[in-house]
Amino acid sequence: MGPDFAPVARALSARGLELAIRPGRDQSPLVRVGDATILWQGIDDPAARARALEEGMQEVVGPWMHEAETVARIIRLADAEQPRLRLGELTIRLVDRRVERNGRPIPLLAREYALLLHLARRPGQAVSRTELLRAVWRLDFDPGTNSVEVHMSRLRGKLDRGFAVTMLHTVKGRGYALCPDGRWPDTA
């Protein structure tokens, strides 16, 4: 890619984006971010840029652009291509692991994110403590601690605080449930 790409690569890496770089048909480097393919063009050539876009490139960037603009264009594409899990007003971005509720970012620790994602893949279903220990902690036994309860309490505080509708429910004797509409089915 050359030394002119190094600052862009560092800026993208600092934002948590992983790049796959490979040569294109004409040996121009291609940058892949998720499903987006971006051509790194060494010189400012509008005709070559137009051909690349016509041939299916999602973007063409190069050292002739300001570094901040290059990074912004790549991040925009990565964000647009990123798979998301949407449950009501909750959005979970599966690549960069960001969570939003009603457009408001919810910062989560890794274990909290793993718990939320596990519950989100079973909306409206009670998930047992044993299943959460197995899926999130990778334990096939109960360690006899209250780790699940503590993490669920923290997750509930982050996910539901400040919202009129409670999404995360404790289902007595059965575990926990994430209900996008806020109602646990047995109590509706």
Side-chain angles (χ1 to χ4, degrees):
M1 299 294 286
D4 46 4
F5 186 72
V8 172
R10 280 193 298 275
L12 292 170
S13 179
R15 294 191 178 165
L17 291 177
E18 292 184 21
L19 307 176
I21 301 169
R22 65 177 175 82
R25 284 189 308 209
D26 63 354
Q27 296 305 307
S28 296
L30 298 177
V31 179
R32 299 222 5 118
V33 179
D35 291 333
T37 304
I38 303 154
L39 175 67
W40 178 261
Q41 189 180 52
I43 58 170
D44 186 9
D45 183 349
R49 190 165 46 253
R51 278 192 308 278
L53 292 169
E54 287 170 358
E55 291 173 1
M57 291 295 138
Q58 281 88 357
E59 185 63 87
V60 180
V61 296
W64 38 269
M65 298 173 81
H66 189 278
E67 174 189 324
E69 179 184 0
T70 303
V71 169
R73 286 174 180 269
I74 293 172
I75 287 173
R76 177 185 52 83
L77 276 173
D79 186 54
E81 298 287 326
Q82 184 173 162
R84 292 170 169 79
L85 181 58
R86 288 191 173 94
L87 298 166
E89 56 189 35
L90 182 68
T91 302
I92 303 171
R93 294 161 42 134
L94 301 174
V95 174
D96 64 12
R97 298 179 171 210
R98 290 195 313 204
V99 176
E100 294 179 350
R101 181 162 177 192
N102 211 19
R104 186 171 82 189
I106 300 173
L108 297 178
L109 300 174
R111 186 78 33 114
E112 295 163 346
Y113 176 84
L115 281 167
L116 178 62
L117 185 59
H118 192 78
L119 292 169
R121 289 187 167 143
R122 293 158 187 77
Q125 297 176 19
V127 178
S128 72
R129 182 178 192 281
T130 302
E131 184 179 339
L132 291 172
L133 282 168
R134 188 175 298 117
V136 176
W137 277 264
R138 306 280 191 246
L139 295 175
D140 287 326
F141 64 94
D142 189 335
T145 67
N146 66 345
S147 263
V148 175
E149 292 77 12
V150 168
H151 280 85
M152 291 304 288
S153 175
R154 289 181 184 156
L155 178 58
R156 181 179 287 115
K158 292 179 179 182
L159 186 63
D160 290 333
R161 186 176 301 125
F163 292 97
V165 174
T166 300
M167 293 181 81
L168 190 55
H169 298 269
T170 301
V171 183
K172 191 169 178 140
R174 295 179 60 194
Y176 301 91
L178 183 68
C179 302
D181 63 1
R183 292 190 327 244
W184 168 243
D186 290 349
T187 61

